[in-house]
Amino acid sequence: MSDTNEQVGTGTNLFTAGTVTGTARWFRETSDVLSIDEDDLEDTIAFVDKGGMTFLSPILPDLKAIVCSAGSRESHLAILSRESAVPCVLATTLTGDISDGDIVTLDLNDADTALIARTSAVTA
């Protein structure tokens, strides 16, 4: 069995951080954050729909990375991510579906553009 990566999006890379792989989880509202067990976040790549998702603040330092559909390098989320040294992709355009539990790889090697891929197991 081997893994394949299917590119499912691009975005603005906040800072170069190499390659980051983790488990996708969508955070759409405050209750999504309040219901989380912080011990489960070390492998979590958070996906959010808005650049100003300040409700991630309590868990942000525990996340592996963040992918956001909006925002800029000067947004509140970007500032918090830099301060916490959490890799962050902003102004993301997804060309494929990402669901909770998907294994996602972020290529954060380019200073400007991040590539987002979903990893799938392939049986030989």
Side-chain angles (χ1 to χ4, degrees):
M1 187 170 3
S2 64
D3 292 338
T4 66
N5 287 334
E6 172 194 2
Q7 185 171 327
V8 292
T10 61
T12 301
N13 187 13
L14 186 58
F15 56 86
T16 56
T19 301
V20 176
T21 299
T23 305
R25 181 160 181 174
W26 283 92
F27 292 89
R28 291 191 164 91
E29 52 193 50
T30 305
S31 62
D32 294 335
V33 173
L34 296 175
S35 67
I36 191 84
D37 178 0
E38 291 182 27
D39 295 336
D40 294 336
L41 294 176
E42 67 184 25
D43 192 46
T44 299
I45 296 177
F47 280 75
V48 294
D49 287 321
K50 298 177 185 170
M53 291 297 194
T54 56
F55 65 74
L56 285 179
S57 298
I59 63 168
L60 193 138
D62 300 317
L63 295 169
K64 192 159 195 180
I66 300 167
V67 176
C68 186
S69 64
S72 69
R73 293 176 193 265
E74 295 81 27
S75 69
H76 191 73
L77 181 60
I79 293 165
L80 292 174
S81 294
R82 272 193 299 271
E83 289 295 318
S84 299
V86 175
C88 186
V89 181
L90 300 158
T92 300
T93 300
L94 292 177
T95 56
D97 293 328
I98 296 290
S99 299
D100 286 351
D102 286 349
I103 302 302
V104 176
T105 299
L106 308 177
D107 180 344
L108 306 174
N109 288 297
D110 186 86
D112 296 316
T113 303
L115 303 177
I116 303 160
R118 182 178 48 238
T119 302
S120 303
V122 176
T123 55

